[in-house]
Amino acid sequence: MQEDDPKPVESRWIDIGANLTNTAFETDLESVLEQASAVGVQQIVITGTSVDESRAALALAHAFPNRLFATAGVHPHDARHWDAQCERELRKLMTDSKVRAAGETGLDFNRDFSPRPAQERVFEAQLELAVESGLPVFVHERDASARVATILKSQRHRLADAVVHCFTGDHDALRAYLDLDLYIGITGWVCDERRGQSLQQCIADIPDDRLMLETDAPYLLPRTLRPKPKRRRNMPAYLPHVGRQVAHLRQQSVEHIARVTRHNAQRFFRLPSDRVDNDPAASDQDRPGCC
Ligand SMILES: [Zn+2]
């Protein structure tokens, strides 16, 4: 951070899930990254949601070495488009050293944009790719925790690791995932006084060594940001806000949350250990939703 930057960096953070290939970032990505660095968010894992988006995520990771990394996968919303060509392309992408996880992949029974049998088939196919590649899995789950836990349980012994990203479940879902020794990704959902209640009630039950943080930008703008950003677009620069809410709910210090979540992300995604980056900037913007 530059000496004339007005925002002190209280801690260093890693955003394990940002959709930086989204069109919301197409005109000002460099500024978005600068704003992230200015508040201590120095490394970001870009979520790959389709073959094309995964390829674009990988290109960004190569353009910003040691700062951006990528996952490669097909979101359950797009499971109906899965074919042998997808599988071949993903297998190839996963050989690139900048790809640090398989996914996002999983089940979304909330919106059901793809038929459930197709979602399950494509989830299982991507778990096979994770086994082949030795990569950990970046899991998307919405209203499908029982099926996701069952499928992961059958493959857990073959998988390096897995994180349930943007966890929005309750005590039972959390227990099922922790029993499988999974990591849990927490977003600004935890700042939502309406939808986030069950998450707020169980977040203290996540062991320190299973907890990771993410924005899911440009989606899930934390509702408690003040002043409210003019643009309703979420950004990695808002990750410390999520971290502070998590610290408050767990009755731990912000520095502690930053440190354990950073170390977990470094271990899970095999990221280079702590580095200090210099970058300026400040501004605000946003918009809601979720992948
Ligand atoms: Zn997701």
Side-chain angles (χ1 to χ4, degrees):
M1 163 171 152
Q2 290 182 343
E3 284 178 9
D4 59 353
D5 193 302
K7 288 186 180 174
V9 172
E10 58 188 336
S11 293
R12 284 167 292 133
W13 307 87
I14 296 175
D15 186 347
I16 68 150
N19 300 278
L20 296 185
T21 60
N22 189 286
T23 53
F25 299 113
E26 69 188 352
T27 61
D28 65 345
L29 181 63
E30 296 229 3
S31 163
V32 166
L33 295 179
E34 285 170 3
Q35 291 173 68
S37 279
V39 295
V41 181
Q42 293 167 335
Q43 291 172 320
I44 301 167
V45 182
I46 307 171
T47 310
T49 56
S50 67
V51 170
D52 286 346
E53 299 289 327
S54 299
R55 201 178 285 119
L58 188 50
L60 283 178
H62 280 285
F64 296 90
N66 290 329
R67 191 160 166 198
L68 300 183
F69 300 86
T71 73
V74 170
H75 194 285
H77 287 344
D78 289 328
R80 64 189 187 282
H81 301 306
W82 177 268
D83 60 15
Q85 176 73 11
C86 278
E87 189 167 337
R88 273 196 301 275
E89 295 282 329
L90 281 187
R91 180 178 284 117
K92 198 169 148 202
L93 288 172
M94 287 177 192
T95 64
D96 191 295
S97 66
K98 299 291 184 193
V99 170
R100 297 300 170 90
E104 65 179 315
T105 177
L107 304 176
D108 193 315
F109 293 172
N110 179 277
R111 280 160 287 188
D112 283 318
F113 288 161
S114 284
R116 294 182 182 185
Q119 291 189 42
E120 295 203 5
R121 225 171 24 248
V122 173
F123 183 28
E124 285 167 345
Q126 291 181 83
L127 292 181
E128 281 303 320
L129 291 176
V131 171
E132 268 180 42
S133 63
L135 289 170
V137 189
F138 191 87
V139 177
H140 172 102
E141 178 265 303
R142 184 65 46 79
D143 294 352
S145 59
R147 281 304 293 158
V148 164
T150 299
I151 291 169
L152 284 174
K153 188 172 185 180
S154 70
Q155 298 300 321
R156 184 64 185 93
H157 62 290
R158 303 171 68 218
L159 295 168
D161 249 325
V163 57
V164 178
H165 107 97
C166 190
F167 177 74
T168 56
D170 55 16
H171 275 105
D172 290 345
L174 180 62
R175 177 48 48 202
Y177 292 144
L178 292 177
D179 283 349
L180 294 172
D181 206 21
L182 307 185
Y183 286 80
I184 307 294
I186 299 296
T187 61
W189 190 278
V190 77
C191 301
D192 191 318
E193 77 286 1
R194 310 156 308 168
R195 299 189 301 176
Q197 279 185 14
S198 59
L199 175 59
Q200 290 173 356
Q201 284 159 12
C202 66
I203 194 162
D205 297 340
I206 303 172
D208 277 0
D209 66 355
R210 300 286 103 182
L211 180 68
M212 294 198 275
L213 298 179
E214 51 179 324
T215 57
D216 207 20
Y219 311 113
L220 295 179
L221 177 69
R223 287 172 53 82
T224 47
L225 271 176
R226 295 294 181 275
K228 277 187 185 295
K230 294 183 192 79
R231 273 184 73 177
R232 293 187 52 74
R233 175 184 68 166
N234 198 5
M235 302 192 296
Y238 299 141
L239 190 72
H241 182 84
V242 177
R244 286 191 286 272
Q245 167 74 344
V246 169
H248 169 71
L249 291 167
R250 290 167 63 89
Q251 300 188 313
Q252 293 171 315
S253 72
V254 174
E255 294 70 24
H256 177 81
I257 292 297
R259 186 171 61 254
V260 298
T261 58
R262 189 172 75 244
H263 289 167
N264 292 340
Q266 286 166 347
R267 185 169 64 248
F268 185 91
F269 294 100
R270 296 180 298 107
L271 304 181
S273 58
D274 301 358
R275 59 193 285 272
V276 176
D277 215 349
N278 297 315
D279 267 317
S283 117
D284 34 73
Q285 13 210 186
D286 264 72
R287 66 151 257 204
C290 180
C291 49

